[in-house]
Amino acid sequence: MGEVVRGVVVDRALLQYGIEQPENFKSNPTLSLLRKLRFSDIHTAISYELPLSDEQVNLLQTMAELHSFKCLPLSASSSDIAPSEIAQAWAHISGTILYLVPNQDGSPKISCTCFSIAPDAALHKSNRMYMDKLEELPLTICRLNKKAISKDVVTVGYVMKPSREEDFAKRGAFPMCPTPNGLIFLPLTFELPIATQLEEVDVILHKATDEIVSIELNSSSEPSYRIDYTNGMQELQRYIKSQNHCFEVDPLNSIYPVLDRLKIQQILLGVEDLNAAGSLKVRAPHFLKVNSFDEPDLVQRLHDAELSLPSIVKPQVACGVADAHSMAIVFRVEDFKHLSVPLPAVIQEYIDHSSTLFKFYVLGERVFHAVKKSIPNADILIKSSEKNGSKPLLFDSLKSLPTAPANSEGRDLCLDLGLVNKAAEWLSKMLGLTIFGFDVVIQEGSGDHVVVDVNYLPSFKEVPDDVAVPAFWDAIKKKVDSKVVKQ
């Protein structure tokens, strides 16, 4: 058994492009890559060879402090001298260290010296590897860590947009070093051949909605759509279908219903089967799909769907496109005519819920929830709208929601956790999802628990990291174990 990677030192020459000005420090892709190491508790440093001008040293130190890196001055950048100086500077670290410099001999472009530091700062067994791109660094670390660990580990390859990845990573959810239950996380990149990366991967976690280019919905009452993904995501899917050694935590066909507000509303109708006579109910909101706000029989259709005003109007496409969260609250029937919400759309029952939203997170067999402020009751919205001629209230649900006045008081709501946990279990089976979230509001008066939204791979950041992250790891590991048993 060897030592896992505990530190990475990168020569400043590999970062030179784009760091001449401090305003480029946050957007530099190389620095973003190195932040992933820091979030994995891998010591990270930028080295520079002495002598160097004070101006250049100050620039490097400013950059390093911004990203919580270290700066290491070295008397020489050669692989014969630098490792000893790094070992002295990092005497408190025990494990494998990678030292990356430009390859002076040409191609491959990067030389990587791999050596071990013992607790006494002694230097042990050094060898050299080469890379064509710095993007190969996480893959190299993954291979070294798997080789260093004698017991079996599960490698989780993941792909999502950078901002989402960083949000998970900075909470410690994606470590490149093994978790207590034996997971190693590898960020997949479309800058490298997918097949090469997936050779090291056992299971794939993706936020496929981040890779959607376009969605086309049909105009019928039945959900039907065509989804175009990025070239990288298409390549990933082709590879998954062509082999059987790795699989998705949640496959694409399981997340499709979550992309379509009409489909998810139709599925949620079945949750009422959980209700028992004389008890609180869990249900879906009343809803109606429309292809045009100019429909001559719209008033009758609203009545037939048990919808009254105000109602909330949402695009049928739930995510993956720019205007999926452009919504409106409509107070008068005549205002549907010129509504700017994208079509086709779903008109949904507006529920008085004391401005309280319960956000539920399902991580495998564990269910967590958080309480958040929400849109105010209808009477407050109506009073507010009257000041604006009762025009529809337009908003983006990801950016800002209509809020209640600071002095308004909502009623105490009684949350039936047992009932919602049953709904969570039912949804997990119906959708075939391992990691998802859903929102519940409690209707004033009836006490009905109404599931108003379902989403895939939520951030669950409202749950404390020391609770949520281990549950997240366990959910993935149990999915892998169950797959192995089935095979």
Side-chain angles (χ1 to χ4, degrees):
M1 178 176 176
E3 295 284 348
V4 298
V5 175
R6 296 297 183 192
V8 173
V9 181
V10 178
D11 187 271
R12 76 180 186 96
L14 294 175
L15 314 179
Q16 198 61 46
Y17 177 75
I19 68 164
E20 294 82 0
Q21 301 298 325
E23 58 265 24
N24 293 327
F25 288 171
K26 287 189 176 181
S27 60
N28 183 280
T30 301
L31 299 179
S32 298
L33 187 152
L34 295 181
R35 277 201 301 274
K36 298 176 186 179
L37 310 185
R38 179 169 59 82
F39 295 144
S40 289
D41 288 330
I42 295 175
H43 297 269
T44 308
I46 309 301
S47 66
Y48 59 93
E49 187 174 347
L50 297 171
L52 190 67
S53 70
D54 290 344
E55 181 182 2
Q56 288 293 311
V57 170
N58 289 336
L59 186 68
L60 285 172
Q61 289 177 340
T62 300
M63 178 193 66
E65 288 174 7
L66 179 65
H67 297 285
S68 301
F69 301 154
K70 299 292 185 183
C71 272
L72 284 183
L74 302 174
S75 62
S77 60
S78 74
S79 58
D80 297 325
I81 300 173
S84 297
E85 295 185 3
I86 294 170
Q88 290 300 316
W90 279 355
H92 60 291
I93 299 174
S94 176
T96 296
I97 307 297
L98 305 183
Y99 174 52
L100 283 70
V101 296
N103 181 19
Q104 302 300 328
D105 297 330
S107 182
K109 298 178 180 179
I110 301 172
S111 172
C112 175
T113 302
C114 175
F115 58 95
S116 298
I117 303 178
D120 58 0
L123 199 63
H124 294 283
K125 53 181 181 180
S126 172
N127 60 74
R128 192 175 303 177
M129 302 174 290
Y130 295 94
M131 305 177 195
D132 283 313
K133 296 181 177 181
L134 204 55
E135 286 84 357
E136 296 174 37
L137 179 57
L139 184 60
T140 300
I141 292 173
C142 175
R143 287 169 173 161
L144 290 170
N145 285 347
K146 289 175 70 173
K147 186 177 180 181
I149 300 169
S150 58
K151 63 179 182 179
D152 291 336
V153 293
V154 173
T155 303
V156 184
Y158 65 90
V159 59
M160 58 191 64
K161 66 182 181 182
S163 60
R164 194 184 311 278
E165 176 185 4
E166 182 143 330
D167 181 62
F168 275 97
K170 69 185 179 184
R171 289 149 58 203
F174 291 156
M176 296 183 195
C177 298
T179 65
N181 65 342
L183 303 181
I184 290 177
F185 286 82
L186 171 66
L188 302 176
T189 173
F190 298 136
E191 297 297 319
L192 302 173
I194 282 294
T196 302
Q197 300 171 76
L198 293 187
E199 288 174 0
E200 303 294 333
V201 168
D202 301 297
V203 62
I204 299 164
L205 177 75
H206 57 62
K207 183 76 171 180
T209 52
D210 290 344
E211 300 296 325
I212 291 176
V213 176
S214 65
I215 300 180
E216 292 182 14
L217 294 166
N218 73 4
S219 58
S220 72
S221 60
E222 290 301 316
S224 178
Y225 32 77
R226 178 182 172 221
I227 303 173
D228 291 326
Y229 290 100
T230 60
N231 291 335
M233 193 66 191
Q234 291 180 45
E235 182 187 356
L236 178 62
Q237 288 302 309
R238 284 194 296 269
Y239 184 88
I240 293 171
K241 291 177 181 178
S242 68
Q243 53 73 53
N244 56 13
H245 83 270
C246 68
F247 61 93
E248 299 154 289
V249 174
D250 288 317
L252 280 184
N253 61 354
S254 293
I255 72 168
Y256 285 150
V258 183
L259 307 182
D260 186 340
R261 289 192 174 97
L262 175 62
K263 178 64 176 177
I264 204 68
Q265 290 287 136
Q266 292 171 337
I267 289 173
L268 285 171
L269 291 174
V271 78
E272 295 191 36
D273 293 340
L274 300 175
N275 296 327
S279 302
L280 291 173
K281 290 200 314 181
V282 60
R283 66 175 178 88
H286 304 309
F287 68 94
L288 173 68
K289 176 185 174 176
V290 291
N291 296 313
S292 168
F293 294 124
D294 247 347
E295 295 180 10
D297 59 344
L298 182 58
V299 173
Q300 183 60 47
R301 294 188 67 208
L302 290 169
H303 179 268
D304 293 344
E306 299 182 55
L307 288 167
S308 59
L309 297 180
S311 291
I312 187 166
V313 186
K314 306 177 179 181
Q316 185 177 340
V317 177
C319 54
V321 294
D323 54 7
H325 301 278
S326 297
M327 302 181 184
I329 298 173
V330 178
F331 303 93
R332 303 179 306 189
V333 172
E334 58 265 32
D335 289 327
F336 279 106
K337 190 171 184 179
H338 302 293
L339 202 59
S340 59
V341 174
L343 290 165
V346 175
I347 302 175
Q348 191 180 87
E349 172 188 10
Y350 190 83
I351 296 159
D352 283 343
H353 57 291
S354 294
S355 302
T356 304
L357 178 71
F358 298 91
K359 296 191 73 67
F360 281 82
Y361 303 103
V362 180
L363 305 175
E365 298 172 358
R366 302 284 301 278
V367 181
F368 304 92
H369 81 278
V371 184
K372 297 191 72 175
K373 290 293 290 181
S374 179
I375 306 175
N377 284 356
D379 59 338
I380 296 175
L381 287 175
I382 291 170
K383 288 179 183 177
S384 176
S385 73
E386 287 173 350
K387 299 175 185 177
N388 193 33
S390 296
K391 293 179 181 178
L393 185 56
L394 306 174
F395 62 97
D396 185 316
S397 62
L398 286 184
K399 297 177 182 177
S400 63
L401 294 173
T403 56
N407 60 354
S408 63
E409 293 184 5
R411 302 178 185 179
D412 290 333
L413 301 173
C414 181
L415 175 66
D416 187 335
L417 268 178
L419 180 63
V420 182
N421 284 340
K422 287 181 182 177
E425 184 180 357
W426 180 88
L427 271 170
S428 182
K429 290 178 180 177
M430 286 297 298
L431 298 173
L433 291 174
T434 304
I435 301 169
F436 66 98
F438 61 98
D439 297 344
V440 172
V441 298
I442 299 177
Q443 186 174 35
E444 286 189 3
S446 70
D448 287 358
H449 290 44
V450 186
V451 183
V452 294
D453 192 23
V454 181
N455 54 83
Y456 155 67
L457 192 59
S459 67
F460 52 83
K461 57 187 174 186
E462 288 86 3
V463 183
D465 294 341
D466 60 344
V467 175
V469 171
F472 171 67
W473 294 338
D474 285 343
I476 296 173
K477 185 62 164 59
K478 287 179 180 177
K479 181 65 179 280
V480 173
D481 292 343
S482 67
K483 191 78 173 180
V484 170
V485 169
K486 288 179 182 177
Q487 289 177 343

